[in-house]
Amino acid sequence: MCDNISTTGTIVIEQGADETDVENEVYRRVHNYVSSLYSYNEQIRSILNKRLKQHIRKGHFLPARDDKAAPEYARRGTFLWGLRNDFQHGDYWCLKVKYEGTQDGSDYYQLYFQKQDFEATPKGDLDSAGDYLAHAPDEDQRYPLPYIGDFHRNLFSEFENAFEEWCSKNRA
């Protein structure tokens, strides 16, 4: 479906595909990824809480706006957590799949983030959701697919490997 999401985020589909089907498939895949990431982080918290003598809260994975010292995995993952919450509370309002044109027998689409429609909290206002956007610059937010690809290839894989290594050394 995508060429290389960590660089361009261009969605390449057979020419003439139904636009609604394309939108639904993109939303489904993004939702599945950010929901899986949320569940993964909740599992990590559960493991840490069993093995450490301190309580690891969700806040450890959601650094505040001014927390520049938080690990990059947590800082960059905050935007993805916000997308997941928007799906739960706002029904994908913040994302828009747009047709970009046709070339060589394929239709091209792009997924855009629309900040003004971001409703990552039950209250739904951007001020309440500001921390979700604090660690992802506007230019990164604009194209969520490259953001997700970069996060997964670099930060998630590195975090997962480091966590597995830590678990091996710290068996309960």
Side-chain angles (χ1 to χ4, degrees), residues 94-135:
C94 70
L95 297 178
K96 179 68 178 161
V97 176
K98 293 184 182 177
Y99 172 75
E100 299 290 323
T102 299
Q103 183 178 356
D104 299 327
S106 297
D107 288 339
Y108 290 78
Y109 291 84
Q110 187 67 249
L111 179 67
Y112 293 95
F113 175 72
Q114 301 174 126
K115 190 175 192 174
Q116 72 277 6
D117 296 325
F118 186 57
E119 297 181 0
T121 66
K123 292 180 187 177
D125 59 356
L126 191 56
D127 287 337
S128 299
D131 288 350
Y132 290 113
L133 305 177
H135 302 287

Side-chain angles (χ1 to χ4, degrees), residues 137-149:
D138 286 349
E139 61 271 9
D140 288 349
Q141 294 171 12
R142 181 164 167 75
Y143 302 103
L145 292 178
Y147 189 95
I148 290 168

Side-chain angles (χ1 to χ4, degrees), residues 18-29 92 97:
D18 182 78
E19 192 166 334
T20 301
D21 290 346
V22 173
E23 288 175 348
N24 289 338
E25 184 64 13
V26 171
Y27 294 149
R28 183 185 70 79
R29 289 182 185 207
Y92 311 103
V97 176

Side-chain angles (χ1 to χ4, degrees), residues 51 166-172:
R51 295 187 181 191
W166 181 86
C167 285
S168 294
K169 292 178 184 175
N170 297 284
R171 298 229 181 255

Side-chain angles (χ1 to χ4, degrees), residues 69-88:
E72 189 174 9
Y73 175 82
R75 285 186 293 110
R76 303 279 293 171
T78 301
F79 175 57
L80 300 177
W81 192 318
L83 288 179
R84 179 253 177 207
N85 285 357
D86 183 80
F87 290 171
Q88 300 298 98

